[in-house]
Amino acid sequence: MRDDELLTIPEVMARLKIGRSALYDLIRTRRLASLTIGRARRIPAHALHDYVQRHLEEATR
C-alpha cells in the first residue's frame, strides 16, 4: 500500500473488517480523514494507517 494511494469505501471496510455505517461514522466524526472526488468518497492510505496506529497506541496504554 502506497501512502499516496486513495482507497474506496469497500476497500477500507474490508481492511478494517467493519460495516459501511461504522466506517461512515468514523468519517463523520473526523476520526478518519477522507475526501470527495465528484460523488466518490476516498480515504487516503496514510489516513487509514494513522488511524490504525493511533488505536494501537491507545491499546498499549
Side-chain angles (χ1 to χ4, degrees), residues 6-17:
L6 295 175
L7 304 170
T8 65
I9 294 296
E11 289 172 333
V12 176
M13 288 169 47
R15 290 179 189 205
L16 293 178
K17 296 184 178 19

Side-chain angles (χ1 to χ4, degrees), residues 42-59:
R42 296 291 183 259
I43 292 87
H46 69 85
L48 179 59
H49 179 264
D50 293 347
Y51 172 78
V52 171
Q53 287 301 98
R54 278 194 311 271
H55 281 276
L56 287 173
E57 289 170 8
E58 290 173 9

Side-chain angles (χ1 to χ4, degrees), residues 11-49:
E11 289 172 333
V12 176
M13 288 169 47
R15 290 179 189 205
L16 293 178
K17 296 184 178 19
I18 61 174
R20 183 174 298 271
S21 296
L23 178 54
Y24 275 105
D25 186 52
L26 292 174
I27 293 168
R28 183 182 53 77
T29 58
R30 300 181 185 264
R31 289 181 280 169
L32 180 61
S34 70
L35 56 107
T36 304
I37 302 172
R39 295 182 64 195
R41 177 72 63 174
R42 296 291 183 259
I43 292 87
H46 69 85
L48 179 59
H49 179 264

